[in-house]
Amino acid sequence: AGVLVLDQLGKIVEYNAAVTNWLGVGLIGRLWHGYLDTVATATEIRGEWLLPSGQIISVSETKLDKALGKIILLMDVTEQRTLTAQLSQHQRLRSMGEMAASLAHQVRTPLAAGLLYASQLTDAKLSDDKKQEMARKIVARLRHLESLVTDMLQYAKGGESGSSLIPVEDLMQQVVSVVEERIKTSASRLQLTPIGERLMVQGDLAALTTAVQNLIINAIDVVKEGAMIQFFAQSDAHWVKLVVADAGPGIPLSLQDKVFEPFFTRRAQGTGLGLAVTRAVAHAHHGKITLSSEEGKGAVFTIWLPKQEDRS
């Protein structure tokens, strides 16, 4: 544990060796308030901070007599958080096992339809137009199967968290390019708001792209055709927020916690894993996802990611 002693003005007057290992030297006389902001990033858990080394520390304080100031206690909780992440993955795998029967049914349905359409292609009496229609239906069922498999694998992995510094503008452009075809085919409109500053996050570009892509595709599927979707980024001192908002039917309050559960879906062609994957990716990147929605007034999903300094 690291221990710091503050005087009545909030300045550091004493600290032990563990503090030096985490926060460096030359702390005597510094104001403690706001200092952590310069050397660490706040996590989604209140009172916990992520250091550049990857360690996570818990910070608590005890007030002494007014004339003596405070004692600040720092605890390394990296191992506990690692174990929590492992437990979370075990729970995901367990939930997949429990839902195996449901998943088998979801796979069987598009597979059976695809086999039926394929068998009809051998009919010599079929016109060329009918054959092309059958071929399109087969491709659609195969894409559904591919989506199921992709979501299953991504959910089982619990998202990926790399160490690359990613400009948020690049991430947003990547997402736009990935969903462009789906936007066109659904006659939807994606309104992208430019960023007024250079924002950086740390992680895996492919995983984050998938996470945001799922939100946009989900909005299209809910509205079906002609969806109006807003996609923009915001930031504060600690977080970069990626926001996807739609003008769809909204989500009832009673279902807002359930939509992130694996295999929960109200759509016949849905996998029930898209939002669960997005939440897993956000958590893997030391972030979170929030939902704000009212019935009849659309839904706003926000992915929160720790803000990083631009080192370029």
Side-chain angles (χ1 to χ4, degrees):
V3 180
L4 301 99
V5 180
L6 310 184
D7 64 15
Q8 65 272 26
L9 298 177
K11 292 183 179 180
I12 302 169
V13 295
E14 191 177 353
Y15 55 90
N16 67 356
V19 173
T20 302
N21 294 334
W22 295 332
L23 306 183
V25 296
L27 302 179
I28 299 296
R30 286 182 177 271
L31 277 174
W32 173 249
H33 179 71
Y35 178 71
L36 267 180
D37 293 335
T38 66
V39 295
T41 303
T43 71
E44 63 181 286
I45 301 176
R46 186 176 181 180
E48 293 189 3
W49 297 75
L50 176 66
L51 298 174
S53 63
Q55 289 175 289
I56 301 174
I57 58 172
S58 172
V59 182
S60 59
E61 63 179 49
T62 300
K63 291 184 179 180
L64 301 175
D65 184 273
K66 290 184 178 179
L68 298 177
K70 298 178 182 178
I71 289 181
I72 307 296
L73 179 64
L74 312 180
M75 296 289 293
D76 186 346
V77 295
T78 309
E79 186 174 353
Q80 291 95 312
R81 293 296 160 258
T82 300
L83 291 173
T84 300
Q86 291 174 350
L87 176 61
S88 177
Q89 179 157 347
H90 288 314
Q91 290 172 337
R92 284 192 296 271
L93 293 173
R94 179 182 175 182
S95 67
M96 289 190 72
E98 292 173 348
M99 296 299 294
S102 172
L103 185 60
H105 173 73
Q106 292 187 50
V107 170
R108 187 183 295 116
T109 300
L111 181 61
L115 288 171
L116 176 63
Y117 296 139
S119 66
Q120 293 179 6
L121 285 176
T122 60
D123 188 349
K125 298 179 182 179
L126 227 70
S127 66
D128 289 343
D129 289 343
K130 279 290 184 182
K131 287 182 179 179
Q132 289 182 6
E133 181 183 351
M134 293 299 173
R136 286 194 295 270
K137 289 182 177 180
I138 291 171
V139 170
R141 298 308 178 274
L142 290 175
R143 284 179 176 169
H144 185 199
L145 285 171
E146 181 186 33
S147 176
L148 278 168
V149 173
T150 300
D151 284 349
M152 280 190 295
L153 291 175
Q154 189 71 53
Y155 179 72
K157 287 188 295 183
E160 299 174 351
S161 177
S163 58
S164 302
L165 276 178
I166 305 169
V168 173
E169 185 176 2
D170 292 354
L171 170 60
M172 295 178 71
Q173 291 298 332
Q174 177 81 357
V175 170
V176 171
S177 65
V178 169
V179 301
E180 184 176 12
E181 181 181 355
R182 188 63 183 274
I183 291 290
K184 288 181 179 178
T185 56
S186 64
S188 298
R189 180 183 173 190
L190 181 64
Q191 181 180 345
L192 179 65
T193 303
I195 304 176
E197 57 181 315
R198 183 173 170 84
L199 300 175
M200 306 292 289
V201 295
Q202 182 173 318
D204 182 270
L205 178 59
L208 290 173
T209 300
T210 297
V212 182
Q213 173 192 353
N214 286 346
L215 297 180
I216 295 174
I217 297 301
N218 185 68
I220 294 173
D221 289 342
V222 168
V223 180
K224 297 189 176 168
E225 285 191 4
M228 299 291 291
I229 304 168
Q230 293 181 310
F231 177 31
F232 57 91
Q234 297 175 328
S235 69
D236 57 27
H238 306 294
W239 298 98
V240 170
K241 292 171 264 189
L242 300 173
V243 183
V244 175
D246 66 64
I251 301 172
L253 185 61
S254 60
L255 298 180
Q256 290 185 15
D257 288 334
K258 294 182 179 180
V259 296
F260 295 106
E261 294 177 2
F263 304 105
F264 177 84
T265 181
R266 294 186 294 170
R267 304 193 310 273
Q269 298 297 319
T271 67
L273 285 173
L275 293 179
V277 167
T278 296
R279 183 173 65 172
V281 171
H283 287 179
H285 286 74
H286 307 289
K288 61 183 178 181
I289 181 169
T290 56
L291 164 63
S292 175
S293 179
E294 291 183 35
E295 284 191 85
K297 296 184 178 181
V300 180
F301 288 90
T302 305
I303 298 176
W304 301 59
L305 300 171
K307 187 177 182 181
Q308 303 295 324
E309 291 185 12
D310 186 0
R311 302 171 193 168
S312 60

